Amino acid sequence: MEWTSVRPALLCAVALINFVFVFGTGADFVRFVSFRAIYHNITGGAPLCRDAVPWSVALRDSEVLRALGVDLALLALFSVQHSLLAWAPVKKACQSALGVLNRAMYCSTTALALQVLMRWWQPVTSAPCLWSVRSAPWDIWFPLICFVVHFLCWAIICSILLIFDYPELLGLKQVYYECLGLGDPLSLKSPRAQRLYAHLRHPVCVELLLVLWLLPTLPLDRCVLAAYLSFYLALAHSLDAQDCAYLSTQLHSKLQLFSTPQGGADQVNSNNTEQKQD
């Protein structure tokens, strides 16, 4: 069997394995960041912290300091991997070495870094909580409110990822286009869309911030996780006026498409095509 016939099948297999691995890691991350903390509060599990311990004592406790050191090291590992592989010289070198599998490799290593973070994360149970909702009836209602908000946030995040071309984000579309001889899918997008993608690496900042901070109980290790990722998200994109104008134009065209009668849909589609060519 010739290599030219084996290579497309091999590329597709690697891309599909990456897709499954990243998807499974995303589900684990939802459980780790969101539902595990809320479920623990609703079911009344073991205490996540010790409010009777003063902060002055807790911050000198070797067990607390060791756990915080491990957690910060895991967060640093994730951010270094996530940023280093997105750095232009490294990205160019990986692109020349891996070709269409470059994006899949980036997603796989990101998922692997997240798996390491989640598996070796150290809860801090020997320090006070920054807050904890325990008074009735809010000890029941507030966790339920958090559950609903988190569920809606994750639903919105999934919807936004689909809008931003989920197969392309995970490197699956690049392999598909390569096998069909269609080239790089990003090159087929308008220059304004490519500029937006370069500036907006994380299109779900507001929803992630809600998920990170809106909890019925906030122990010290969760505060470190939320603060670190919030700061990282704030540094991860650099939208400017042109990007905001492009987003506004695209949103207006989508709303116009849904509000236009069937007879006027062709005119709207024509206008949208002109906007994409800008």
Side-chain angles (χ1 to χ4, degrees):
M1 185 178 295
E2 296 182 357
W3 168 247
T4 54
S5 61
V6 174
R7 185 173 181 269
L10 183 61
L11 289 175
C12 291
V14 172
L16 286 174
I17 292 173
N18 166 74
F19 183 88
V20 172
F21 178 55
V22 174
F23 186 85
T25 300
D28 284 342
F29 187 68
V30 172
R31 176 191 57 82
F32 174 78
V33 168
S34 187
F35 296 118
R36 184 178 68 171
I38 300 174
Y39 180 78
H40 178 279
N41 190 277
I42 292 176
T43 56
L48 296 174
C49 47
R50 294 171 59 187
D51 292 332
V53 178
W55 279 106
S56 58
V57 174
L59 295 179
R60 292 197 301 266
D61 188 339
S62 60
E63 182 181 348
V64 172
L65 295 178
R66 183 192 63 81
L68 290 178
V70 172
D71 294 342
L72 286 172
L74 292 171
L75 288 168
L77 173 66
F78 167 74
S79 58
V80 167
Q81 175 277 327
H82 205 56
S83 299
L84 182 63
L85 292 184
W87 188 34
V90 177
K91 187 176 181 180
K92 185 177 180 180
C94 293
Q95 182 68 42
S96 62
L98 298 172
V100 293
L101 291 177
N102 179 47
R103 182 66 189 180
M105 183 275 298
Y106 178 74
C107 293
S108 293
T109 53
T110 299
L112 182 60
L114 275 178
Q115 289 286 356
V116 171
L117 185 148
M118 291 184 291
R119 293 297 179 268
W120 277 275
W121 185 262
Q122 301 294 307
V124 177
T125 58
S126 300
C129 287
L130 278 79
W131 70 69
S132 183
V133 179
R134 298 175 181 173
S135 59
W138 291 108
D139 59 337
I140 298 297
W141 284 107
F142 190 67
L144 292 176
I145 293 172
C146 291
F147 180 88
V148 173
V149 173
H150 280 226
F151 181 85
L152 292 175
C153 285
W154 287 116
I156 293 172
I157 287 172
C158 292
S159 301
I160 292 175
L161 290 177
L162 290 175
I163 293 173
F164 268 70
D165 205 342
Y166 189 65
E168 184 176 347
L169 289 175
L170 294 188
L172 190 62
K173 193 172 183 178
Q174 287 86 336
V175 173
Y176 173 74
Y177 272 48
E178 171 71 13
C179 294
L180 294 180
L182 299 177
D184 184 6
L186 184 61
S187 64
L188 303 179
K189 300 183 185 295
S190 70
R192 296 176 70 186
Q194 295 183 35
R195 188 175 188 276
L196 173 67
Y197 276 46
H199 288 177
L200 187 62
R201 290 171 55 193
H202 300 279
V204 290
C205 293
V206 176
E207 295 81 7
L208 276 178
L209 288 176
L210 278 174
V211 166
L212 288 171
W213 290 102
L214 185 63
L215 288 174
T217 300
L218 189 73
L220 183 57
D221 62 289
R222 180 52 185 257
C223 181
V224 170
L225 176 72
Y228 191 101
L229 292 183
S230 298
F231 181 72
Y232 187 73
L233 285 171
L235 297 178
H237 64 85
S238 54
L239 290 180
D240 55 19
Q242 294 185 43
D243 295 321
C244 293
Y246 175 74
L247 283 172
S248 177
T249 302
Q250 293 300 308
L251 178 61
H252 177 74
S253 65
K254 297 298 187 298
L255 294 176
Q256 186 179 5
L257 179 64
F258 284 112
S259 62
T260 302
Q262 186 66 31
D266 293 338
Q267 181 64 34
V268 173
N269 291 332
S270 176
N271 294 337
N272 292 343
T273 302
E274 294 176 359
Q275 291 172 358
K276 291 181 180 178
Q277 294 172 350
D278 291 341

